[in-house]
Amino acid sequence: MAALWLIVRILLWVLAVLLGLVVLALFVPITAELQADETGFAAWLRVLFVRMKLYPRPEKEEKPRPEKRKKEKKAPPAPAEKAPAQTVRQAAPENAPQAKETPAPKAEAPAGPAPQKQAKAAQPQNASLADKLPKDLDRTLALVATAGGAVRRLLAGLTVHGIKAFLPVHKDTAADTALAVGRIWAAVGAGLGALQNFIRIRPGEITVQPDYTGDEERNASFSCKITGCLFIMVSVGIWAFRRLKEQKFL
C-alpha cells in the first residue's frame, strides 16, 4: 500500500510540474521582428533566447536524382489496311408512286388561366425569400461583429516597439522637397495617433530626411518589433468560440 501511494504522489508531482510549465509557456512573450530595406523583406520570431527566421526561408539543396533508364517498348505491327467497301445503291423504279408527306397536327396553345396559376405559384416563393433576407442579414452582422471584436482584443494585447524608420524624400525642386517632407510628417503623426486607438505603439526613431540630390533614396529602411503573449491569443480564441456557439454558428 505504501508503494502504491508513493507512485501516486510521484505522478501527481509530475502532472503539477507539467501544468506549471504549460501555464508559464502561456505567459512567455513572443516577439516578431520585421525588417524591410533595399535588399527585401525579412522576418524573425523570438521566444526568450531562441530566434528563428521565418522569411525568407533558406533554400534546400536539391540532391541529384539517379536517372532511370527507360525501357524501349516495341511498337506493335500496324494492321493491314482494308479496302473500302463499295456500297451498292439500288435505283428506285421510275413508275413507283411517291409517298406524300402528311403535315403533323399543330399543338393547341394552352388556355388563358395557366399563366395566372404560374404567377400565383411564384408569389409564395418571393415571400419566403423576403422573410429569409432579414434573418441572413442579422446572422451576417453578428458574424462581422464577433470577428471585429476578436481582432480588436487581439490587437489590444500586442505592443509595437523598437521602430526604426529612415525615409528620404526627393522631389524636382527644393521647395517641392520641403513641402513633401512636411506632408509626410503630418501623415506619420496622424497615422500613429489613429493606430494607438487599437494597438500599443512605442515610437522609436523615425527620420524623414529631405534628399535634395537623390543619392539617399536607396537607403530607405524600416524595422520594428511586435510583442504579444500566447495567453491573450488563447483567451481571444476561447471568447470567439463561445460567441459563435451562442450565435449557433458552430
Side-chain angles (χ1 to χ4, degrees), residues 13-29:
W13 276 106
V14 171
L15 291 176
V17 171
L18 291 176
L19 183 61
L21 291 176
V22 171
V23 173
L24 183 62
L26 291 176
F27 289 94
V28 169

Side-chain angles (χ1 to χ4, degrees), residues 119-178:
K120 291 180 179 179
Q123 287 179 359
Q125 296 180 358
N126 296 334
S128 61
L129 289 175
D131 294 338
K132 288 181 180 179
L133 281 177
K135 296 180 180 179
D136 294 341
L137 183 61
D138 293 340
R139 288 175 62 86
T140 304
L141 292 177
L143 182 61
V144 170
T146 302
V151 172
R152 186 173 63 252
R153 284 171 169 78
L154 187 61
L155 291 177
L158 299 178
T159 302
V160 180
H161 58 98
I163 300 175
K164 292 182 180 179
F166 178 75
L167 181 61
V169 180
H170 174 70
K171 296 296 179 181
D172 295 334
T173 62
D176 293 340
T177 301

Side-chain angles (χ1 to χ4, degrees), residues 29 31 57 69 137 176 203 225 249:
T31 303
R57 300 292 298 177
R69 297 181 180 178
L137 183 61
D176 293 340
K225 298 178 181 180
F249 284 102

